[in-house]
Amino acid sequence: ETGVTQTPRHLVMGMTNKKSLKCEQHLGHNAMYWYKQSAKKPLELMFVYSLEERVENNSVPSRFSPECPNSSHLFLHLHTLQPEDSALYLCASSQDLGTGGNQPQHFGDGTRLSIL
Amino acid sequence: KQEVTQIPAALSVPEGENLVLNCSFTDSAIYNLQWFRQDPGKGLTSLLLIQSSQREQTSGRLNASLDKSSGRSTLYIAASQPGDSATYLCAVRLMPSNTGKLIFGQGTTLQVKP
């Protein structure tokens, strides 16, 4: 039980498809994150949201479009992806971004994305 | 640019051994360092978080140390068990920390044989 739920767990899509990844956290946290985990590369931060506002875009291509409608939900909309975008996409949340506390980030189990 | 390196990339030990996983980072201006565990096909589970002002943290059979000046952290696992088999990741939170950004190492994959 992680408190952070991601759906779907697996997704196979063609390069011209449009799909969305969903993340939901039940921890009452204010900050949410998208990470990409590719084979043989370190985990890479993609986006950070705090109180539904995007505070970090780590040079991510525009074919990835995040959306945070409220502090419990985070989406990653996918459009015209490339084969190199195949990876495990992980969502995380933390209490907040402030320096007043050292809150750990809590991760979901990820969506395994394969681009044909 | 902050870089995080974990050595070794893989480790296989017999059950019952004590072991040490290493993590090094190039820029000592960190806010904290976190150790995670990742099981195959799963997300990350936070194990220990060490603030920059701390030297170590302990949880059960796990002990993590931090030497900020030398850019190193170690994760010590006592009396290893087959259930400890997983990939262990360390990550540093950068200063300033207002984005919560973590920089990860590539991980050490541990196998504990019965």
Side-chain angles (χ1 to χ4, degrees), chain B residues 32-97:
Chain B
N32 61 42
L33 184 144
Q34 200 167 350
W35 281 94
F36 294 88
R37 169 187 173 136
Q38 186 175 28
D39 293 287
K42 296 285 190 177
L44 279 62
T45 301
S46 179
L47 297 174
L48 291 164
L49 184 150
I50 312 176
Q51 299 179 37
S52 61
S53 59
Q54 296 177 324
R55 297 288 297 211
E56 65 177 343
Q57 282 285 334
T58 298
S59 176
R61 293 183 295 108
L62 305 180
N63 176 278
S65 68
L66 174 64
D67 184 342
K68 216 172 67 156
S69 60
S70 67
R72 295 184 183 193
S73 176
T74 61
L75 179 66
Y76 175 82
I77 303 177
S80 58
Q81 303 170 358
D84 295 329
S85 298
T87 297
Y88 291 81
L89 298 161
C90 75
V92 297
R93 183 169 173 178
L94 303 178
M95 293 278 281
S97 62

Side-chain angles (χ1 to χ4, degrees), chain A residues 34-86:
Chain A
W34 279 118
Y35 287 89
K36 176 182 178 182
Q37 188 174 35
S38 305
K40 299 182 181 179
K41 290 179 70 175
L43 250 162
E44 299 173 81
L45 179 69
M46 299 176 73
F47 301 104
V48 180
Y49 276 81
S50 176
L51 298 171
E52 300 141 49
E53 281 194 32
R54 192 190 311 178
V55 297
E56 176 87 14
N57 176 344
N58 201 29
S59 303
V60 180
S62 59
R63 58 185 183 270
F64 294 91
S65 175
E67 179 190 1
C68 188
N70 56 63
S71 59
S72 299
H73 293 86
L74 185 65
F75 294 89
L76 188 62
H77 303 299
L78 315 172
H79 175 53
T80 321
L81 295 193
Q82 305 299 311
E84 62 265 27
D85 297 323
S86 297

Side-chain angles (χ1 to χ4, degrees), chain A residues 9 37 40 97 99 102 105, chain B residues 31-32 41 93 97 100 106:
Chain A
R9 291 297 315 278
Q37 188 174 35
K40 299 182 181 179
L97 299 180
T99 58
N102 274 273
Q105 292 183 15
Chain B
Y31 190 65
N32 61 42
R93 183 169 173 178
S97 62
Q106 286 193 267

